[in-house]
Amino acid sequence: MSQSEADMDSGVRVIEVGGPFFFGSTSQLLDRVDQVIGTRVAVFDCSRVPFMDLSAQFALEEMVERLKAQSIVVFIVVPPAIQTELMRLRAPHLPAELLRSDLGAALGEARGLVG
């Protein structure tokens, strides 16, 4: 997981998640979400995640709720198959309006909110 320094200066934080997203990989991500000073929009880049298990979905929901409680806007970039699965599961804290399939478009939208 990493973040883009250029985006941090603009108030947009990109949190990259690469590889399978499952129970064992969620604790490190939860720790990083608490480090949001100066962040106005958080973009979770899960575009390279081949699958996400239920525990990862719950962890992502928890992260979204933590950020929203701090008035931080959240976008989640996921591959179309995962987006379809999340919509099918009707994850209450991962509604369609947060999900994006293209990182560039999500970043453009995020920068538009802070600019």
Side-chain angles (χ1 to χ4, degrees), residues 59-84:
L60 193 55
E61 287 184 277
E62 181 181 336
M63 289 180 265
V64 167
E65 285 305 297
R66 284 186 190 184
L67 293 169
K68 282 185 173 181
Q70 297 177 54
S71 300
I72 296 171
V73 176
V74 178
F75 295 117
I76 303 164
V77 180
V78 292
I82 292 176
Q83 187 170 356
T84 299

mmCIF file of all heavy atoms in Angstrom, residues 59-84:
data_model
loop_
_atom_site.group_PDB
_atom_site.id
_atom_site.type_symbol
_atom_site.label_atom_id
_atom_site.label_comp_id
_atom_site.label_asym_id
_atom_site.label_seq_id
_atom_site.Cartn_x
_atom_site.Cartn_y
_atom_site.Cartn_z
ATOM 1 N N ALA A 59 -14.072 -4.520 6.474
ATOM 2 C CA ALA A 59 -12.998 -3.600 6.832
ATOM 3 C C ALA A 59 -13.091 -2.326 6.000
ATOM 4 O O ALA A 59 -12.923 -1.218 6.522
ATOM 5 C CB ALA A 59 -11.644 -4.270 6.643
ATOM 6 N N LEU A 60 -13.371 -2.461 4.716
ATOM 7 C CA LEU A 60 -13.506 -1.303 3.849
ATOM 8 C C LEU A 60 -14.686 -0.442 4.301
ATOM 9 O O LEU A 60 -14.589 0.787 4.361
ATOM 10 C CB LEU A 60 -13.683 -1.764 2.400
ATOM 11 C CG LEU A 60 -13.540 -0.720 1.303
ATOM 12 C CD1 LEU A 60 -12.213 0.017 1.390
ATOM 13 C CD2 LEU A 60 -13.697 -1.377 -0.059
ATOM 14 N N GLU A 61 -15.783 -1.086 4.671
ATOM 15 C CA GLU A 61 -16.932 -0.340 5.182
ATOM 16 C C GLU A 61 -16.561 0.433 6.451
ATOM 17 O O GLU A 61 -16.944 1.594 6.612
ATOM 18 C CB GLU A 61 -18.099 -1.278 5.478
ATOM 19 C CG GLU A 61 -18.781 -1.801 4.237
ATOM 20 C CD GLU A 61 -19.982 -2.649 4.568
ATOM 21 O OE1 GLU A 61 -19.816 -3.847 4.863
ATOM 22 O OE2 GLU A 61 -21.102 -2.094 4.549
ATOM 23 N N GLU A 62 -15.800 -0.202 7.332
ATOM 24 C CA GLU A 62 -15.379 0.463 8.571
ATOM 25 C C GLU A 62 -14.502 1.669 8.263
ATOM 26 O O GLU A 62 -14.648 2.740 8.874
ATOM 27 C CB GLU A 62 -14.624 -0.518 9.466
ATOM 28 C CG GLU A 62 -14.180 0.102 10.780
ATOM 29 C CD GLU A 62 -13.419 -0.860 11.655
ATOM 30 O OE1 GLU A 62 -13.573 -2.099 11.529
ATOM 31 O OE2 GLU A 62 -12.651 -0.366 12.497
ATOM 32 N N MET A 63 -13.597 1.533 7.303
ATOM 33 C CA MET A 63 -12.728 2.638 6.925
ATOM 34 C C MET A 63 -13.537 3.796 6.352
ATOM 35 O O MET A 63 -13.279 4.958 6.672
ATOM 36 C CB MET A 63 -11.682 2.163 5.915
ATOM 37 C CG MET A 63 -10.646 1.256 6.537
ATOM 38 S SD MET A 63 -9.432 0.716 5.338
ATOM 39 C CE MET A 63 -10.112 -0.854 4.852
ATOM 40 N N VAL A 64 -14.515 3.477 5.514
ATOM 41 C CA VAL A 64 -15.364 4.509 4.929
ATOM 42 C C VAL A 64 -16.101 5.255 6.036
ATOM 43 O O VAL A 64 -16.159 6.490 6.035
ATOM 44 C CB VAL A 64 -16.351 3.894 3.905
ATOM 45 C CG1 VAL A 64 -17.440 4.884 3.529
ATOM 46 C CG2 VAL A 64 -15.597 3.416 2.665
ATOM 47 N N GLU A 65 -16.630 4.535 6.996
ATOM 48 C CA GLU A 65 -17.354 5.172 8.101
ATOM 49 C C GLU A 65 -16.432 6.060 8.931
ATOM 50 O O GLU A 65 -16.814 7.164 9.324
ATOM 51 C CB GLU A 65 -18.027 4.121 8.983
ATOM 52 C CG GLU A 65 -19.267 3.537 8.341
ATOM 53 C CD GLU A 65 -20.264 4.605 7.932
ATOM 54 O OE1 GLU A 65 -20.776 5.325 8.808
ATOM 55 O OE2 GLU A 65 -20.511 4.742 6.710
ATOM 56 N N ARG A 66 -15.216 5.603 9.210
ATOM 57 C CA ARG A 66 -14.250 6.420 9.970
ATOM 58 C C ARG A 66 -13.958 7.729 9.240
ATOM 59 O O ARG A 66 -13.890 8.793 9.845
ATOM 60 C CB ARG A 66 -12.932 5.669 10.153
ATOM 61 C CG ARG A 66 -12.954 4.595 11.190
ATOM 62 C CD ARG A 66 -11.534 4.067 11.330
ATOM 63 N NE ARG A 66 -11.474 2.872 12.135
ATOM 64 C CZ ARG A 66 -10.346 2.269 12.465
ATOM 65 N NH1 ARG A 66 -9.183 2.736 12.037
ATOM 66 N NH2 ARG A 66 -10.352 1.190 13.210
ATOM 67 N N LEU A 67 -13.748 7.629 7.943
ATOM 68 C CA LEU A 67 -13.420 8.818 7.161
ATOM 69 C C LEU A 67 -14.607 9.766 7.057
ATOM 70 O O LEU A 67 -14.454 10.978 7.206
ATOM 71 C CB LEU A 67 -12.908 8.417 5.783
ATOM 72 C CG LEU A 67 -11.563 7.682 5.790
ATOM 73 C CD1 LEU A 67 -11.262 7.101 4.426
ATOM 74 C CD2 LEU A 67 -10.444 8.599 6.249
ATOM 75 N N LYS A 68 -15.778 9.224 6.829
ATOM 76 C CA LYS A 68 -16.972 10.061 6.746
ATOM 77 C C LYS A 68 -17.219 10.788 8.067
ATOM 78 O O LYS A 68 -17.648 11.939 8.072
ATOM 79 C CB LYS A 68 -18.195 9.217 6.380
ATOM 80 C CG LYS A 68 -18.276 8.862 4.919
ATOM 81 C CD LYS A 68 -19.569 8.134 4.650
ATOM 82 C CE LYS A 68 -19.787 7.905 3.186
ATOM 83 N NZ LYS A 68 -21.075 7.220 2.930
ATOM 84 N N ALA A 69 -16.933 10.134 9.188
ATOM 85 C CA ALA A 69 -17.098 10.756 10.505
ATOM 86 C C ALA A 69 -16.177 11.967 10.661
ATOM 87 O O ALA A 69 -16.437 12.850 11.478
ATOM 88 C CB ALA A 69 -16.839 9.739 11.614
ATOM 89 N N GLN A 70 -15.102 12.008 9.865
ATOM 90 C CA GLN A 70 -14.161 13.129 9.882
ATOM 91 C C GLN A 70 -14.431 14.093 8.717
ATOM 92 O O GLN A 70 -13.569 14.903 8.367
ATOM 93 C CB GLN A 70 -12.728 12.606 9.824
ATOM 94 C CG GLN A 70 -12.359 11.765 11.032
ATOM 95 C CD GLN A 70 -10.951 11.207 10.891
ATOM 96 O OE1 GLN A 70 -10.007 11.950 10.664
ATOM 97 N NE2 GLN A 70 -10.813 9.900 11.029
ATOM 98 N N SER A 71 -15.606 13.957 8.106
ATOM 99 C CA SER A 71 -16.022 14.804 6.971
ATOM 100 C C SER A 71 -15.092 14.672 5.775
ATOM 101 O O SER A 71 -14.834 15.646 5.050
ATOM 102 C CB SER A 71 -16.140 16.265 7.398
ATOM 103 O OG SER A 71 -17.093 16.391 8.416
ATOM 104 N N ILE A 72 -14.564 13.482 5.566
ATOM 105 C CA ILE A 72 -13.706 13.199 4.418
ATOM 106 C C ILE A 72 -14.532 12.443 3.382
ATOM 107 O O ILE A 72 -15.178 11.449 3.700
ATOM 108 C CB ILE A 72 -12.468 12.381 4.841
ATOM 109 C CG1 ILE A 72 -11.607 13.214 5.810
ATOM 110 C CG2 ILE A 72 -11.657 11.937 3.627
ATOM 111 C CD1 ILE A 72 -10.486 12.446 6.465
ATOM 112 N N VAL A 73 -14.517 12.944 2.159
ATOM 113 C CA VAL A 73 -15.218 12.299 1.046
ATOM 114 C C VAL A 73 -14.401 11.082 0.625
ATOM 115 O O VAL A 73 -13.173 11.129 0.602
ATOM 116 C CB VAL A 73 -15.383 13.282 -0.133
ATOM 117 C CG1 VAL A 73 -16.016 12.600 -1.331
ATOM 118 C CG2 VAL A 73 -16.187 14.500 0.296
ATOM 119 N N VAL A 74 -15.095 9.998 0.276
ATOM 120 C CA VAL A 74 -14.418 8.754 -0.092
ATOM 121 C C VAL A 74 -14.883 8.269 -1.459
ATOM 122 O O VAL A 74 -16.077 8.290 -1.753
ATOM 123 C CB VAL A 74 -14.693 7.646 0.953
ATOM 124 C CG1 VAL A 74 -14.041 6.337 0.545
ATOM 125 C CG2 VAL A 74 -14.233 8.073 2.334
ATOM 126 N N PHE A 75 -13.913 7.844 -2.270
ATOM 127 C CA PHE A 75 -14.195 7.123 -3.503
ATOM 128 C C PHE A 75 -13.425 5.812 -3.449
ATOM 129 O O PHE A 75 -12.324 5.753 -2.898
ATOM 130 C CB PHE A 75 -13.749 7.905 -4.747
ATOM 131 C CG PHE A 75 -14.494 9.182 -4.958
ATOM 132 C CD1 PHE A 75 -13.829 10.396 -4.911
ATOM 133 C CD2 PHE A 75 -15.854 9.183 -5.202
ATOM 134 C CE1 PHE A 75 -14.499 11.587 -5.100
ATOM 135 C CE2 PHE A 75 -16.545 10.369 -5.394
ATOM 136 C CZ PHE A 75 -15.874 11.581 -5.343
ATOM 137 N N ILE A 76 -14.007 4.774 -4.019
ATOM 138 C CA ILE A 76 -13.377 3.460 -4.043
ATOM 139 C C ILE A 76 -13.317 2.994 -5.495
ATOM 140 O O ILE A 76 -14.355 2.849 -6.145
ATOM 141 C CB ILE A 76 -14.157 2.451 -3.188
ATOM 142 C CG1 ILE A 76 -14.272 2.966 -1.755
ATOM 143 C CG2 ILE A 76 -13.484 1.078 -3.228
ATOM 144 C CD1 ILE A 76 -15.324 2.262 -0.936
ATOM 145 N N VAL A 77 -12.104 2.788 -5.981
ATOM 146 C CA VAL A 77 -11.908 2.318 -7.351
ATOM 147 C C VAL A 77 -11.713 0.812 -7.300
ATOM 148 O O VAL A 77 -10.794 0.317 -6.653
ATOM 149 C CB VAL A 77 -10.688 2.999 -8.008
ATOM 150 C CG1 VAL A 77 -10.500 2.490 -9.430
ATOM 151 C CG2 VAL A 77 -10.843 4.519 -7.984
ATOM 152 N N VAL A 78 -12.617 0.084 -7.943
ATOM 153 C CA VAL A 78 -12.557 -1.379 -7.964
ATOM 154 C C VAL A 78 -12.800 -1.881 -9.384
ATOM 155 O O VAL A 78 -13.453 -1.215 -10.175
ATOM 156 C CB VAL A 78 -13.599 -2.027 -7.010
ATOM 157 C CG1 VAL A 78 -13.274 -1.754 -5.560
ATOM 158 C CG2 VAL A 78 -15.004 -1.562 -7.325
ATOM 159 N N PRO A 79 -12.271 -3.071 -9.697
ATOM 160 C CA PRO A 79 -12.557 -3.660 -11.010
ATOM 161 C C PRO A 79 -14.070 -3.886 -11.166
ATOM 162 O O PRO A 79 -14.778 -4.076 -10.171
ATOM 163 C CB PRO A 79 -11.804 -4.992 -10.976
ATOM 164 C CG PRO A 79 -10.782 -4.853 -9.903
ATOM 165 C CD PRO A 79 -11.384 -3.914 -8.896
ATOM 166 N N PRO A 80 -14.554 -3.885 -12.390
ATOM 167 C CA PRO A 80 -15.988 -4.063 -12.621
ATOM 168 C C PRO A 80 -16.593 -5.300 -11.946
ATOM 169 O O PRO A 80 -17.706 -5.235 -11.418
ATOM 170 C CB PRO A 80 -16.105 -4.159 -14.146
ATOM 171 C CG PRO A 80 -14.920 -3.383 -14.640
ATOM 172 C CD PRO A 80 -13.827 -3.644 -13.643
ATOM 173 N N ALA A 81 -15.869 -6.418 -11.928
ATOM 174 C CA ALA A 81 -16.418 -7.638 -11.314
ATOM 175 C C ALA A 81 -16.644 -7.456 -9.817
ATOM 176 O O ALA A 81 -17.668 -7.901 -9.277
ATOM 177 C CB ALA A 81 -15.486 -8.823 -11.557
ATOM 178 N N ILE A 82 -15.714 -6.788 -9.141
ATOM 179 C CA ILE A 82 -15.880 -6.548 -7.701
ATOM 180 C C ILE A 82 -16.971 -5.520 -7.469
ATOM 181 O O ILE A 82 -17.771 -5.643 -6.539
ATOM 182 C CB ILE A 82 -14.544 -6.118 -7.059
ATOM 183 C CG1 ILE A 82 -13.571 -7.303 -7.079
ATOM 184 C CG2 ILE A 82 -14.768 -5.625 -5.627
ATOM 185 C CD1 ILE A 82 -12.183 -6.990 -6.552
ATOM 186 N N GLN A 83 -17.044 -4.513 -8.327
ATOM 187 C CA GLN A 83 -18.110 -3.515 -8.198
ATOM 188 C C GLN A 83 -19.474 -4.187 -8.319
ATOM 189 O O GLN A 83 -20.382 -3.933 -7.524
ATOM 190 C CB GLN A 83 -17.948 -2.433 -9.267
ATOM 191 C CG GLN A 83 -18.903 -1.281 -9.094
ATOM 192 C CD GLN A 83 -18.560 -0.109 -10.011
ATOM 193 O OE1 GLN A 83 -17.567 -0.126 -10.733
ATOM 194 N NE2 GLN A 83 -19.375 0.903 -9.970
ATOM 195 N N THR A 84 -19.615 -5.088 -9.283
ATOM 196 C CA THR A 84 -20.869 -5.822 -9.460
ATOM 197 C C THR A 84 -21.190 -6.652 -8.229
ATOM 198 O O THR A 84 -22.331 -6.674 -7.755
ATOM 199 C CB THR A 84 -20.776 -6.731 -10.707
ATOM 200 O OG1 THR A 84 -20.547 -5.901 -11.848
ATOM 201 C CG2 THR A 84 -22.042 -7.545 -10.895
#
